[in-house]
Every structure is written in structure tokens, then in C-alpha cells.
Amino acid sequence: MKFRTPEGTRDIPPAQAEVAERWRNTALWQSLEAKVRDCFARFGYEEIRTPIFELTELFHKSSGETSDIVEKEMFSFKGRGEKAESFSLRPELTPGTIRAVLEDSLLEKKSFWKLWYMGPAFRGEAPQAGRFRQFTQLGVEAVGSADPLIDAETMILFAEILKSAGVAAWELRINSIGCGACRGGYREALRAAVTPELPKYCDNCRRRVERNVFRILDCKVPDCVALSSRLPSAIDHTCAACRGHMEAVEGALKGAGTPYKVDPRIVRGLDYYTRTVFEFSSSSLGAQNALCGGGRYDTLVRDMGGPDVGSVGFAAGVERILLAMEQGAAAKPPDFFAVAIRPELRAPLFEAVNRLRRTGLSGDMDFEGRSVKSQFRQANRSGARYALVLGPEEAAQGKVKIKNMLKEGEERAVSLDEAAAVLREGVRS
RNA sequence: GUGGCCGUAGCUCAGUUGGCUAGAGCGCCUGGUUGUGGCCCAGGUUGUCGCGGGUUCAAGUCCCGUCGGUCACCCCA
């Protein structure tokens, strides 16, 4: 085979292709997409769509220069012409979404927006179970509110998505990393606590002390985990306002019956988070077990040149949700499959099929000139409830025969006009 | 970028200490039925054994290289 998908990318064929990985079929995707849209609608979120590439600079400004994502995982390319700016395929959708909110002056029209999105994102990492170079993110951004209830709402919403998708094995962990007022103090407290034992930490962590101490907390090297478990936790260093915010978030989660755990090790890899951060993970996933990550970002909109308003959002991996849900989905079978007894009847049959389709029924026929037996085999395989049979006898009377594929021996000849009614009646029951 | 494992039919895989013409199950096709599917029966179809080189009388099998996949580290959705 000469051509294959680029490393870390996947095709999603129709369900009948029966590829080994159950999640790779468009029937399953469509059913999840429908459920997800329904959840967003029930919670009052509206869809926004943005380009899949943006100016590279946008990601540097928003996601943070030191985050791994912009540091080494972006697919960047030069634009055309004189200016030849650098563009990048989006590694996440939050920056583009906020950019759009500002560019289209959404906040001038309404001071608070609940937006959702779903679309491809790209990161140049080494692929692995549940990790792809092109993957699909779905997420929300609630822009223009500092209300702790909206933090809780995004989490409750995602839990609802998991429920309706049929993902049972999940866990929600939350943390507060403080605001502009208290984060600096915590940073210093961390540095002070880490420095004396610095040689005991891994190479990575030693670099993190200067660049981003907080990330030491989510290092997975066993020695570092042991060391960092004794470090001061963010919650103890947050200001009264941040503590109050966290308590309100927890209260709302409890009230909604959404189970969660406070985990001081949740830090997040992106620079823009403030106060609430959270992560949904699933034990049925493998090493890459994060389903969804999110949190509050109270300074991002302002940093990007917009008004000083608070926001909160999350992003989830659609492939991972699909991977974690155990039930499959089959394609919807057509209402009928038409069979021509003689090759010369294929043209009139084709006409009949199209007439029935125009009435709203779904149906198909053979396009390979197969034998009658084979056509019935196809009818059976398609899952159609009815076979529509056109042979010399029926043609002579201007009729077609309708055969019920589910009931042995049930056949009746009717005029084409009646056929539509009979099929619709049968399909409905 | 680093490391482990794996590349044989459309799919899942077997293939012994190197040894006849490379196999099974499933699928697919045709027939058993002047115009009837599923079940059954009969027959049929498909291979660059990932690629290149080496050892050997002989390589799917051993060696080297290479490409691809996969899992893990890292990081994250």
C-alpha cells in the first residue's frame, strides 16, 4: 500500500467497514455528536466555529511561551506573499475562541456568553493509546462571569455529557491555584520549600523551579512525587476571596450531586488558568487517561486586549470519550432495498426507487448488476425491513411487490402509489 | 526524542530444531432455486510472508539494516 494516513492520524470509515477499533466509525461519532449537542442546548450553550489555523503568535500569547504545547508541539507554516506571517494549526481551541469573541465584538452585544465548540486540533507529539496528532476537541467557554456557580456548571455539564454518552468509569478532581493576588505568594512559598532539596528532584523539575514551579506538583517521577507531597499546597496559600470561591464551587457540585475530589496536584499545563482548575479522567483509558481538562481564566481576555472579565471553560477529547464508552452504535438501516428480477427492469426500478425517496423514505438498490439471489442477500445485509421487488409480472400490471424481510413469506403486490404508504406505515410500527 | 513489543490473505491469526506447491477460521463470490435473503451444503477467490541486503544446497523462519505500526516515558484531550 503506497499511501497511508500521516503518523498519528486516523480515518473514520462507515460502521460497515467493521474496523478493529470500535470507535472508528462514523455511526458512533454521529450518535455521540447528537448527544453532546443536546447536552449543550439543555445547558444554554451556543455553538461557535473558528478556523483550524491561526497566527502562531496568538498561541504564544495565550497558551504561554513555556507550555510544552507551544514550545515543541505545534505544526507551524509560513503564509504566502510579502508578509509571510507564521501560522499554526490550532493545538487547542480556547485561544481562537477568545480571539473570535473579541474580533466579533461579542461582549459589546451581550456581556456574558456561554459558547461551545467541537472540532479538530493538532499537536506534534509521539502518538500513543488515546493520543493523536490530529484529534477532536469539544469544549465550552463561559466568557464574562466570575461567578463560582458557572465554574460548577461547566463541570456538571461535562458529567452530563459522560452520562449521556454512557461513560461510567470517570473521576473528577478539582483544585484552586489562586488568583493574581495570592499566586505570587504561593510561588515564592513553593520555591522556598523546594530549593533546599533541589538536588533530589529530577532534571525536569530542577528546570521547572525557575520557569514554572507549579509544574513540579504534577511531575510523575516517583521520587519527585514523594518529595512534592510534602510541599505546601495551593489551597493553604490562597487568599480569602479565592478560598470563598472554591467553597462556593464545591457547594454547587455537592448540590448537583456531582462527585469530585480535591486534588492539590492538579496544576494544568497551560499558563492562563486562575483559581479553579479541574480534570476528568477515566480508568478505562490507559496511560493517557484525561478525558477533559479545564478551569477558570480570569486574566486571559484582558491579556488578549479585551475587557477585564472572568471566564471559565473546559476542553475534552472526543476520541477519548469514544474510547471510554463501551457501547457501540450501528448505522441506521434503509427503509427498503429494491430488487430487479430482470436486468432490463433496472431502469424502471431506479425510477421507482427515486419516487419513493422523494416521499421521504430511504432506500437503495443494486448498482453492480448482481444476480437476483445476490440482490436479496444485499437487501438482507442492508438491514432494510422491506424488499421492493420488480419482475415481469409486476411490471405488466404496473405494480411492485413488497416483501417483509423480517417475516417469512409475507409478500404483497401493490401499485407504486400505494407502496409509499404501505412502506411508511410498516416502518413506523 | 528515547525504550519495549509487533509486521504472513479483506479481517483475526497459525506456521515446529531453517526443508516439498505458504495454511486455518471468518468474510467475500458463484451455484444448489425460470423470480426470493438469513440456516445448511458444494465449489471458488485473494499473498511483493513490510522493504533491502546477508548467511545457506535451501529463509516466512537465522543475522544486519531500514520503514511502518503499537505501547510506554514526557506531556496532555
Side-chain angles (χ1 to χ4, degrees):
Chain A
M1 197 77 65
K2 184 162 185 187
F3 294 112
R4 15 184 10 144
T5 55
E7 184 179 3
T9 63
R10 293 285 187 277
D11 298 311
I12 315 294
Q16 282 189 38
E18 290 181 342
V19 297
E21 302 97 320
R22 237 191 29 263
W23 65 274
R24 287 208 292 131
N25 75 78
T26 45
L28 220 211
W29 279 72
Q30 287 172 6
S31 92
L32 177 65
E33 285 160 6
K35 287 170 184 163
V36 157
R37 287 200 169 86
D38 176 64
C39 288
F40 287 141
R42 275 156 49 214
F43 279 70
Y45 286 74
E46 297 178 281
E47 184 179 12
I48 184 166
R49 302 187 189 191
T50 62
I52 65 167
F53 66 94
E54 300 270 359
L55 278 175
T56 300
E57 200 188 342
L58 171 68
F59 301 115
H60 284 268
K61 282 264 163 60
S62 54
S63 308
E65 302 284 354
T66 64
S67 70
D68 283 29
I69 291 175
V70 311
E71 207 172 52
K72 50 186 186 184
E73 294 173 0
M74 287 210 291
F75 287 106
S76 302
F77 52 95
K78 277 258 176 288
R80 295 170 169 276
E82 298 287 304
K83 297 204 287 183
E85 310 108 307
S86 172
F87 295 104
S88 294
L89 296 177
R90 60 191 185 191
E92 57 159 345
L93 305 217
T94 298
T97 301
I98 300 306
R99 193 225 77 238
V101 165
L102 299 178
E103 182 169 347
D104 296 322
S105 309
L106 296 195
L107 292 169
E108 317 302 319
K109 310 201 164 109
K110 208 170 76 168
S111 54
F112 176 54
W113 290 84
K114 301 209 293 186
L115 303 169
W116 72 267
Y117 57 75
M118 174 154 48
F122 307 82
R123 292 182 195 173
E125 304 178 274
Q128 190 182 327
R131 191 168 73 185
F132 307 96
R133 289 185 157 192
Q134 174 175 340
F135 60 105
T136 310
Q137 279 198 338
L138 66 82
V140 302
E141 311 294 349
V143 187
S145 167
D147 187 350
L149 291 179
I150 196 73
D151 300 34
E153 185 182 81
T154 61
M155 294 181 245
I156 294 163
L157 165 57
F158 189 69
E160 186 63 22
I161 286 173
L162 291 178
K163 185 184 170 195
S164 84
V167 175
W170 60 267
E171 186 183 61
L172 165 62
R173 284 166 302 141
I174 72 172
N175 188 24
S176 174
I177 59 172
C179 60
C182 51
R183 211 178 173 183
Y186 179 46
R187 182 182 297 120
E188 291 318 311
L190 267 184
R191 284 206 179 117
V194 168
T195 308
E197 295 190 302
L198 196 55
K200 294 182 188 168
Y201 284 89
C202 71
D203 294 353
N204 248 323
C205 284
R206 267 177 273 165
R207 262 182 282 123
R208 285 166 173 150
V209 178
E210 283 310 315
R211 293 182 45 179
N212 193 345
V213 236
F214 305 110
R215 298 273 293 281
I216 289 180
L217 293 171
D218 63 0
C219 182
K220 283 158 188 106
V221 176
D223 287 351
C224 297
V225 173
L227 288 166
S228 65
S229 65
R230 296 194 296 271
L231 293 174
S233 82
I235 290 173
D236 300 330
H237 281 77
T238 47
C239 60
C242 285
R243 267 202 303 281
H245 189 91
M246 178 78 163
E247 279 162 21
V249 171
E250 290 191 54
L253 287 174
K254 283 178 186 138
T258 302
Y260 69 94
K261 275 193 340 208
V262 173
D263 182 349
R265 310 182 66 82
I266 301 286
V267 175
R268 311 266 81 232
L270 301 164
D271 288 358
Y272 48 67
Y273 287 109
T274 54
R275 291 196 164 167
T276 314
V277 289
F278 61 89
E279 184 174 312
F280 283 79
S281 56
S282 173
S283 58
S284 51
L285 235 35
Q288 304 303 321
N289 65 356
L291 286 168
C292 169
R296 175 160 281 285
Y297 46 94
D298 285 335
T299 57
L300 179 62
V301 175
R302 187 195 64 206
D303 291 346
M304 284 178 60
D308 189 7
V309 296
S311 303
V312 57
F314 69 69
V318 173
E319 289 82 358
R320 290 189 187 171
I321 295 172
L322 257 10
L323 241 18
M325 50 196 266
E326 275 311 314
Q327 84 235 33
K332 190 169 150 259
D335 297 326
F336 67 88
F337 190 93
V339 172
I341 300 299
R342 299 273 184 272
E344 61 270 24
L345 292 172
R346 295 183 66 239
L349 183 68
F350 181 65
E351 258 178 62
V353 166
N354 282 314
R355 274 181 62 183
L356 291 172
R357 286 169 174 166
R358 276 195 291 274
T359 72
L361 290 161
S362 63
D364 212 343
M365 62 179 279
D366 161 66
F367 290 100
E368 296 170 280
R370 295 196 188 218
S371 68
V372 170
K373 178 180 183 135
S374 178
Q375 289 180 65
F376 273 101
R377 250 201 293 268
Q378 284 182 85
N380 187 54
R381 201 162 20 200
S382 76
R385 174 149 181 189
Y386 294 101
L388 198 76
V389 186
L390 183 64
E393 290 171 25
E394 291 83 5
Q397 306 171 48
K399 294 190 167 184
V400 291
K401 196 179 271 178
I402 292 172
K403 169 173 174 149
N404 186 335
M405 298 296 282
L406 306 179
K407 269 191 192 164
E408 195 170 355
E410 190 183 295
E411 290 189 2
R412 56 194 286 205
V414 297
S415 74
L416 196 50
D417 289 330
E418 291 171 86
V422 172
L423 290 178
R424 191 159 325 107
E425 188 59 34
V427 166
R428 206 170 333 149
S429 63

